[in-house]
C-alpha cells in the first residue's frame, strides 16, 4: 500500500458497508445508489465496502459485481476509500476474481472473507490468504465473521497474516477482547476495523482504526459526532452518543441484514425494501417491531421518515 493510500485509510474511521438498492424488477438501482452514496459522504462516511454481506454480494452475479464496482468507484470519485468484496470459499476463484477487480480504477482494496462452509483450519486460512495476496495487485483486507462462516480466524493467525506482503487490514466481527488482541499483536500500520456497530466507540479507544458499519446508513451524523467528540477529548459526550446508538444499532440486526436497514431507508425514500432471495422484505408486524426497537412510533414505516432520526440531549449543556 502506497503512502498516499495509507493516509486515506487512516482518515477512514467510518466505513459504510453499503447496501445494493434494487428496483421493483430486481435490477440494481444505480440512481438510488448514487443518491445514497452522496448522502452518506455528507453525513460522515469516509469510505465504503461494496458488494459485501450488507450489499447482498452472495446473490450478485459475477457480471453484476464487475459493473457495480466500476460504476460505484466512479460515483465515489476519490471522495472516500472503496473496498470491494472479492472473497469466496474457493481459493482459485477468489484469486481470479480479485485480479479482475484490481483492474477497475478507483478500487482501493479487496475484502476477502474467511472461507465459509468448508471450514478450513488455521493453517488452511493462512494458505488461502497468502495465495490471494501473492498475486493480487490490490491490498487485501481479511473479513473475519464467524457467525456467517462457521469458523473463526484466531488473533494469532491474524497476527501471522499481518506480516504477509499485501495483507493490510481486517474487518473483525467477534468479541471486543479478540479485537483488543488483534490490535495488540499486529503492526501499528495494520488497519484494524470492528465490523460490530456496537463496538464503534470502544474500537477507537483501544487503538483500532474505526468501524465498518451498517448503522451509518441511518445514524451517520450521530456516529460522526461521536468520533469527533472522542477526538476532541469529550469522553462523556462520546459515551452518551454510543449509549443512545447501541440499542438502535442492535435493532438493525434483529432480522436478517440488510432487511432492517433497507426498511428504514425505504421510508426515507432512499431505496425500496427489495432484497433478493433467499432474503425477503419484512412483514408489517416485523416492521412494527423494528420501529419500536429504534425508538420510533409503531407505524413509523407507513409514512415518510426524516433523514435525521435525532439523538440524545447533551447532558453536559
Amino acid at each position: 500500500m502506497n503512502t498516499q493510500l495509507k493516509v486515506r485509510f487512516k482518515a477512514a474511521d467510518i466505513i459504510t458497508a453499503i447496501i445494493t438498492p434494487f428496483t421493483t424488477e430486481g435490477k440494481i438501482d444505480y440512481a438510488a445508489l448514487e443518491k445514497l452514496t452522496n448522502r452518506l459522504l455528507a453525513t460522515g462516511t469516509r469510505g465504503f465496502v461494496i458488494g459485501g454481506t450488507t450489499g447482498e454480494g452472495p446473490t450478485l452475479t459475477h457480471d453484476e459485481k464487475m459493473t457495480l464496482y466500476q460504476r460505484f468507484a466512479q460515483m465515489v470519485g476519490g471522495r472516500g476509500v472503496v473496498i470491494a468484496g472479492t472473497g469466496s470459499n474457493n481459493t482459485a476463484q477468489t484469486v481470479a476474481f480479485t485480479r479482475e477487480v484490481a483492474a477497475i480504477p478507483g478500487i482501493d482494496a479487496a475484502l476477502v472473507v474467511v472461507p465459509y462452509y468448508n471450514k478450513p483450519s488455521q493453517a488452511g486460512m493462512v494458505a488461502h490468504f497468502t495465495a490471494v495476496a501473492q498475486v493480487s495487485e490490490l491490498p487485501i483486507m481479511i473479513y473475519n465473521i464467524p457467525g456467517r462462516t462457521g469458523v473463526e480466524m484466531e488473533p494469532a493467525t491474524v497476527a501471522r497474516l499481518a506480516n504477509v506482503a499485501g495483507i493490510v487490514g481486517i474487518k473483525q466481527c467477534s468479541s471486543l477482547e479478540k479485537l483488543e488482541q488483534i490490535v495488540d499483536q499486529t503492526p501499528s500500520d495494520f488497519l484494524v476495523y470492528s465490523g460490530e456497530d456496537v463496538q464503534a466507540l470502544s474500537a477507537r479507544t483501544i487503538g483500532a482504526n474505526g468501524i465498518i458499519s451498517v448503522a451509518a446508513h441511518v445514524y451517520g451524523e450521530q456516529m460522526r459526532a461521536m468520533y469527533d467528540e472522542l477526538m476532541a477529548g469529550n469522553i462523556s459526550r462520546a459515551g452518551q452518543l454510543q449509549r443512545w446508538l447501541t440499542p438502535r444499532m442492535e435493532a438493525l440486526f434483529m432480522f436478517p441484514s440488510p432487511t432492517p436497514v433497507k426498511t428504514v431507508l425505504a421510508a426515507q425514500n432512499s431505496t425500496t425494501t427489495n432484497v433478493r432471495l433467499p432474503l425477503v422484505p419484512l412483514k408489517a408486524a416485523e416492521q412494527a417491531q423494528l420501529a419500536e426497537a429504534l425508538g420510533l412510533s409503531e407505524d413509523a414505516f407507513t409514512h415518510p421518515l426524516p433523514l435525521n432520526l435525532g439523538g440524545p440531549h447533551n447532558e453536559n449543556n
Side-chain angles (χ1 to χ4, degrees):
M1 183 183 288
N2 62 45
T3 302
Q4 183 180 13
L5 188 55
K6 284 183 180 179
V7 170
R8 291 178 63 215
F9 263 101
K10 279 297 180 184
D13 50 0
I14 299 176
I15 294 177
T16 300
I18 195 166
I19 64 157
T20 302
F22 295 119
T23 66
T24 53
E25 293 78 28
K27 303 295 184 182
I28 297 175
D29 188 341
Y30 286 102
L33 181 61
E34 184 166 19
K35 178 181 175 183
L36 178 60
T37 300
N38 290 334
R39 178 161 76 83
L40 292 173
L41 287 166
T43 54
T45 287
R46 300 290 181 262
F48 299 92
V49 169
I50 184 77
T53 307
T54 310
E56 297 178 71
T59 51
L60 297 174
T61 68
H62 169 275
D63 290 350
E64 282 180 321
K65 286 181 181 178
M66 290 298 293
T67 302
L68 173 64
Y69 295 175
Q70 289 164 3
R71 294 186 63 169
F72 185 72
Q74 292 170 354
M75 289 176 193
V76 175
R79 293 176 292 167
V81 297
V82 178
I83 306 165
T86 65
S88 73
N89 62 346
N90 179 321
T91 303
Q93 180 178 311
T94 300
V95 165
F97 188 52
T98 303
R99 294 180 74 172
E100 277 191 89
V101 172
I104 300 174
I107 300 296
D108 298 302
L111 186 68
V112 177
V113 68
V114 171
Y116 45 87
Y117 189 72
N118 37 19
K119 300 178 72 173
S121 65
Q122 299 298 305
M125 294 177 200
V126 170
H128 174 82
F129 280 93
T130 301
V132 177
Q134 283 177 339
V135 299
S136 175
E137 295 180 16
L138 282 176
I140 302 298
M141 291 190 67
I142 300 163
Y143 184 14
N144 190 23
I145 183 164
R148 291 186 181 271
T149 62
V151 66
E152 181 169 8
M153 182 181 288
E154 294 299 329
T157 304
V158 178
R160 182 176 173 184
L161 285 170
N163 292 297
V164 172
I167 299 179
V168 301
I170 186 169
K171 176 184 177 182
Q172 171 71 9
C173 301
S174 185
S175 69
L176 188 60
E177 179 183 7
K178 289 192 174 180
L179 189 70
E180 291 173 351
Q181 292 171 19
I182 290 169
V183 172
D184 193 50
Q185 295 174 23
T186 54
S188 59
D189 61 351
F190 189 72
L191 298 165
V192 179
Y193 286 91
S194 173
E196 303 283 358
D197 270 306
V198 296
Q199 294 177 1
L201 182 59
S202 297
R204 287 292 279 167
T205 63
I206 64 171
N209 207 60
I211 187 75
I212 296 180
S213 174
V214 174
H217 284 92
V218 179
Y219 299 111
E221 291 181 75
Q222 296 87 345
M223 294 175 70
R224 171 53 53 205
M226 177 176 69
Y227 274 1
D228 288 349
E229 295 286 5
L230 177 65
M231 293 300 102
N234 300 324
I235 308 300
S236 177
R237 176 58 176 167
Q240 183 190 14
L241 284 160
Q242 180 65 74
R243 293 193 304 274
W244 184 87
L245 283 164
T246 293
R248 292 162 175 82
M249 289 170 163
E250 291 174 336
L252 291 175
F253 292 92
M254 65 188 294
F255 300 108
S257 185
T259 56
V261 73
K262 279 194 167 183
T263 299
V264 180
L265 291 173
Q268 294 174 326
N269 196 33
S270 295
T271 184
T272 66
T273 60
N274 294 328
V275 288
R276 285 187 174 173
L277 291 171
L279 299 179
V280 293
L282 299 187
K283 298 176 181 178
E286 293 169 329
Q287 290 188 15
Q289 292 175 49
L290 173 63
E292 186 177 3
L294 292 172
L296 305 172
S297 63
E298 191 175 283
D299 64 346
F301 301 128
T302 64
H303 52 74
L305 276 182
L307 296 180
N308 190 319
L309 298 181
H313 174 71
N314 192 339
E315 296 171 346
N316 301 318
N317 285 346

